[in-house]
């Protein structure tokens, strides 16, 4: 259900828009993305990162190399405000 570019074996980078929807694979990817954010933002409290990443209202645009997340950005869209 997430947009992808390329396939896991072609050596290209791919993007997934993922969120906490209760699916096991998404939870694993979000956990890996949380670890990346924690390493790259050492002064930001881990609990704050966890709360944002796993909030069902937030979407994480995640950059993948194969099936492994290597970077990303988390944001919360406000659709009602356009």
């Amino acid at each position: 259900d997430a947009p992808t570019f390329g396939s896991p074996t072609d050596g290209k980078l791919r993007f997934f828009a993922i969120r906490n929807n209760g699916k096991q694979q998404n939870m694993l990817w979000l956990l890996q993305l949380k670890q990346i954010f924690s390493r790259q933002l050492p002064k930001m409290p881990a609990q704050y990162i966890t709360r944002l990443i796993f909030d069902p209202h937030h979407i994480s645009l995640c950059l993948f190399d194969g099936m492994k997340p290597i970077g990303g950005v988390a944001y919360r869209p406000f659709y009602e405000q356009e």
Side-chain angles (χ1 to χ4, degrees), residues 12-55:
K12 295 181 181 178
L13 298 178
R14 303 179 306 145
F15 291 94
F16 278 121
I18 57 177
R19 68 173 4 143
N20 182 0
N21 60 1
K23 292 183 180 179
Q24 185 176 1
Q25 185 61 59
N26 282 5
M27 298 296 278
L28 178 63
W29 285 335
L30 289 172
L31 181 61
Q32 293 170 341
L33 188 60
K34 179 217 161 277
Q35 293 169 344
I36 292 170
F37 288 169
S38 292
R39 276 194 308 265
Q40 296 300 317
L41 302 167
K43 293 185 179 182
M44 187 174 286
Q47 295 86 0
Y48 179 73
I49 295 172
T50 301
R51 190 172 67 229
L52 290 180
I53 294 291
F54 289 100
D55 181 351

Side-chain angles (χ1 to χ4, degrees), residues 2-13:
T4 62
F5 304 98
S7 67
T9 59
D10 64 8
K12 295 181 181 178
L13 298 178

